[in-house]
Amino acid sequence: MQHSPASPPAPDLQYMASCELPMPWATFELHAFLEPSTGKEHLAITLGDVSDGAPVLARLHSECLTGDTLFSQRCDCGAQLENALKRIAAEGRGILLYLRQEGRGIGLINKIRAYRLQEQGADTVEANHQLGFADDLRSYAICAPMFRHFGIQSLRLMTNNPRKIDALKQFDISTERVEHIAGSTTSNARYLATKAHKLGHLLPQAPAHSPVDDN
């Protein structure tokens, strides 16, 4: 697929292996990719024929160890991951990209440091700034070669983050937004409010304060 001159270059990516992945909702296919420049291993989880040219129900999910595997209620990540897989299973066709971009790109250790700052009163954006990081260090350029691998050019993307839509459009991937609300709790109310007010996420209005925040 040809990109316009304004499109940023997509990083190199190597397809490595695939296998079946039985889950509670369906038996998916799990595909592993290696990003040689960083050594990161990214995953694609697919169901059904995603290369038939029709728009594909999709999710870009950045790794969140605390939310995805440790059941943290400080964020909505685990709930969003589970809900996306359930929606793909219900439709019988779709793809989820699992991107190794922990803590909006700052890494797990710095994410834990950010948690401590949040417990001391900072919100998730302020904590990143106090650690010397930007609001969000994630890049979605890695998604372009992953989608090309499967012959996908049109998405129905489950997201509340307009930045994801804008990033994919730079790579000539037609993208329609599908609202993806899941995992609101009393513990992550301030986190969700910060995402809405400071990061531009399209979320219902959330309370301005909560005892803890997340990254």
Side-chain angles (χ1 to χ4, degrees), residues 8-99:
D12 291 333
L13 193 72
Q14 296 176 4
Y15 164 75
M16 303 303 291
S18 297
C19 68
E20 289 189 352
L21 183 65
M23 290 188 177
W25 319 288
T27 297
F28 293 79
E29 288 285 328
L30 180 64
H31 314 271
F33 296 84
L34 176 65
E35 186 179 1
S37 62
T38 64
K40 291 182 178 179
E41 299 162 331
H42 304 282
L43 300 173
I45 302 171
T46 64
L47 183 66
D49 183 2
V50 296
S51 61
D52 60 4
V56 179
L57 184 64
R59 168 78 181 160
L60 311 183
H61 190 88
S62 297
E63 177 184 45
C64 176
L65 178 69
T66 50
D68 296 342
T69 65
L70 299 180
F71 314 108
S72 172
Q73 297 294 291
R74 300 175 65 137
C75 65
D76 56 348
C77 301
Q80 287 196 326
L81 175 61
E82 180 175 341
N83 192 50
L85 292 168
K86 286 180 176 179
R87 293 175 74 172
I88 290 171
E91 188 153 312
R93 176 177 177 272
I95 183 168
L96 185 145
L97 302 188
Y98 195 86
L99 308 173

Side-chain angles (χ1 to χ4, degrees), residues 166-183:
D166 293 341
L168 293 177
K169 286 181 178 178
Q170 293 183 71
F171 294 97
D172 302 323
I173 300 173
S174 175
T175 307
E176 172 192 353
R177 188 180 84 88
V178 177
E179 186 179 69
H180 192 58
I181 306 296

